[in-house]
Structure formats: C-alpha cells, structure tokens
Amino acid sequence: MPLNNEQKLRLLANLTRAVAADQLMMRLIRSGKMVGFYHEGGVAMAPGVAAGSFLRKDDPFLPHYRAHGVAHMLSKGVDIRSYVAEHTGRETGCCKGRSSFHASYPGAGLYGSSGNIGANFPTAVGLGFASKYRKTDRVVMNCSGDGSYGEGRAHEGMLMAANWKLPIVFWCENNGISQHAAMSELFPAERISALAAGFGIPAKVVDGQDLFACGEAALEAIAHVRAGKGPIFIELLTLRSQEHSVGGLNYEGPAPRDPELMAEWKRTRDPLKLVVARALAEGLCAEADIDAMRASAETEMQDIEDFVDRSPKATPPADELARAVYAA
C-alpha cells in the first residue's frame, strides 16, 4: 500500500526519535545508571517504527525486545519517560522501578510484557479473540524476533489465529541470528514466513532496512486485518550489527562474528541514513528539516534523561516485596 508524503515524514521523524532513544539507553547503561540489561537496537530499528506508526491508540500491541520496544512505543505515541525510568530503578517507572525493563501501558494497548521468548503469542491470541468476540475492529500487532518461531506456542498461536480468523498481524523482525545461533542452522526453510502457508495465513517478505517498505507493509497488514480477513504474516529481514545484549559475546556458534561485516552493515545498511538520503532525493524535505528533526529528538531524549535523574530511586519496603510473592 503506497505511502503518502505525510506518512513518509511521520516514519522519518519516528525513526529519528527511535534512534535517539536507543542512543539514550546506551548512554544510561554505559554510565551505570541502568539497573538491568539492554539489547541495543543499532541498525534494526525500522521494523519497530513501522509497526507502531499506523496503529490506533486502542489497538493492542506487543513490542519486540530489540531496543526493548522503544521504537514501537514511541511510534505508537507512548510517553516513554516512565519506561526509561523503569530501566533505571526509579519510583516514577511504569512498574515503579520494580521490574528492570518490563513495560505496562494499558491505556496505549500494551498490557504488560515478559522476558520469556514467545510468551506474547498466547497473549496475542487472547487479545485477538477478545477483539473479535466484542465485535470491534481492533488490530493486534504481535512483534517478535526470529527465535520466537522455535517455540511451540508460536505455532499454536498461529494455528488458533488462522482457525478463528483472529485480527492479528504476526510481525517477524528476522535479523538472521538467535543470540549466538544462525537461523540457517535453526530453521529448515529459507524464510520463516514459509510457516504461514501451513496455516493458510497470507505472508509477505520485506527489506527491514528500508523504512518506507516497512511502512507500506504495515499499512497493508493493518488494513487486511482490520477488514476482518483474519491474520497476516510479515517477515522483515533486518540486521543485528552488534552483540545480542550489551556487554555480551558476539558469537555465531563457536566463532566470533566478523567485525568487518558488522562495520560494513553500519556504514551501508543503516536505515536512518538510507531514508534520509531518499527523502532528500525525492524532495520530501530539506536538510534544514532533517536537522530540525534531529534537534527535536535530542531535546526530547535530554528531557527524558533529566526526568530520570530527578526521580527518586525505588526502595520498596520488604512487606511490599513479599506481598506479590505467592510461592517459594
């Protein structure tokens, strides 16, 4: 589905903000302000931006863990100040600084999150069933990485969604490597979207480094599902140009990944650089507009960091911590 100029500019602005947010998170973890861990987004932010940019506020969504979903959240309109505060163990966090990195924004359609790979699939089925049962036209955006499709509940979720024609977009952000294992060794077919055919779910493969292609795929998928045509599967081929999580090993099997390849991807396949060049070439905007977007994004992130620094650290009393423990 072709993008108009307003939609292209929205995607460009959201990707600029998402990259700035990823850089903010990297500053926080490197400075010791973050209490947990972080999975850097790097050059894999375009799919998340596209996934969030065209959803309605009441559409449930389940972000991918890459960059901890900041691209998805920002693009859907979530104020991520409290999410960043959560990462730094502050009382102003979305879970009062108790969870390290889990998000919960029911008012924006994000009903909690889990660090368990593939846990979003049963949740997506439940949300999709609720949408259909209540006769709404809400779309469930279920975002996941390639590794999720090694989980049985992903297959079960797709089967149930197909049988019941649930309004779910299966948005697979495939970076080709599941922590330290190449997907070529974990999956028998060339494309994960081949799974969709077995369930009768239409599928599309997209260049995940091309922001506008991702946006067109999102518009098409959302329109398909909102029209009551059942689930759809979008596979976005993206890149992980750094270690799985900050400070971890960057291995593929027993061997380190090629650092020159990582550097080449950053030089030649950075989606923000690619889309800025395209926007300027198409006359969509001028250099001054790009500079203004960057300045606005930096100001927004500085305001978030200032908010975090002003926020009190979470120091929950023992009785509060014990109140939520039901078994030991």
Side-chain angles (χ1 to χ4, degrees), residues 55-65 67-80 82-84 86-87 94-95 99 101-115 119-120 123-124 127 138-143:
L55 293 173
R56 294 192 322 220
K57 184 177 181 180
D58 63 342
D59 287 327
F61 76 120
L62 298 107
H64 182 27
Y65 72 85
H68 290 193
V70 293
H72 311 72
M73 293 184 207
L74 275 173
S75 300
K76 195 174 188 283
V78 174
D79 181 351
I80 66 165
S82 62
Y83 188 49
V84 179
E86 188 65 27
H87 280 74
C94 57
C95 298
S99 78
F101 79 105
H102 295 291
S104 180
Y105 293 96
L110 177 53
Y111 302 97
S113 59
S114 170
N120 49 318
T123 303
L127 291 167
R138 291 179 180 175
V139 170
V140 179
M141 180 64 74
N142 183 66
C143 305

Side-chain angles (χ1 to χ4, degrees), residues 39-321:
H39 300 86
E40 183 181 0
V43 298
M45 304 288 282
V49 167
S53 288
F54 303 120
L55 293 173
R56 294 192 322 220
K57 184 177 181 180
D58 63 342
D59 287 327
F61 76 120
L62 298 107
H64 182 27
Y65 72 85
R66 181 60 52 193
H68 290 193
V70 293
H72 311 72
M73 293 184 207
L74 275 173
S75 300
K76 195 174 188 283
V78 174
D79 181 351
I80 66 165
R81 286 184 304 169
S82 62
Y83 188 49
V84 179
E86 188 65 27
H87 280 74
T88 58
R90 307 287 172 149
E91 285 285 351
T92 54
C94 57
C95 298
K96 299 178 67 177
R98 274 57 163 174
S99 78
S100 171
F101 79 105
H102 295 291
S104 180
Y105 293 96
L110 177 53
Y111 302 97
S113 59
S114 170
N116 197 319
I117 299 297
N120 49 318
F121 285 83
T123 303
V125 168
L127 291 167
F129 184 82
S131 178
K132 186 170 184 177
Y133 182 79
R134 294 173 177 171
K135 295 182 171 56
T136 74
D137 65 346
R138 291 179 180 175
V139 170
V140 179
M141 180 64 74
N142 183 66
C143 305
S144 64
D146 42 274
S148 294
Y149 291 90
E151 296 287 334
R153 53 196 154 190
H155 299 248
E156 293 165 354
M158 292 174 67
L159 175 63
M160 296 173 78
N163 277 339
W164 296 341
K165 295 193 180 304
L166 299 182
I168 301 173
V169 177
F170 292 102
W171 190 261
C172 175
E173 302 178 27
N174 181 4
N175 65 19
I177 185 165
S178 182
Q179 192 158 347
H180 304 304
M183 284 307 295
S184 59
E185 297 186 4
L186 299 177
F187 196 75
E190 183 181 4
R191 294 283 174 255
I192 293 176
S193 49
L195 283 172
F199 300 111
I201 297 175
K204 183 174 185 176
V205 179
V206 180
D207 179 358
Q209 303 308 108
D210 183 336
L211 178 64
F212 291 163
C214 294
E216 289 172 357
L219 280 177
E220 179 183 333
I222 291 167
H224 172 96
V225 172
R226 209 178 299 283
K229 297 179 181 179
I232 191 169
F233 193 108
I234 308 295
E235 180 177 3
L236 304 109
L237 306 179
T238 186
L239 303 167
R240 197 190 87 200
S241 58
Q242 70 285 327
E243 68 272 24
H244 172 69
S245 60
V246 178
L249 296 174
N250 195 12
Y251 273 52
E252 184 173 327
R257 297 174 77 205
D258 183 357
E260 292 184 7
L261 179 62
M262 309 288 106
E264 180 186 350
W265 283 349
K266 291 176 182 178
R267 285 195 309 270
T268 65
R269 298 293 287 149
D270 183 323
L272 185 55
K273 292 178 183 177
L274 293 173
V275 76
V276 165
R278 181 172 172 183
L280 293 173
E282 291 181 1
L284 190 63
C285 57
E287 285 278 7
D289 300 313
I290 300 296
D291 291 341
M293 284 183 190
R294 288 173 177 149
S296 176
E298 288 301 328
T299 298
E300 181 182 7
M301 297 311 138
Q302 187 59 58
D303 288 344
I304 291 173
E305 188 168 6
D306 292 343
F307 169 78
V308 167
D309 288 342
R310 292 193 307 268
S311 299
K313 291 184 178 180
T315 54
D319 63 332
E320 180 187 328
L321 293 176

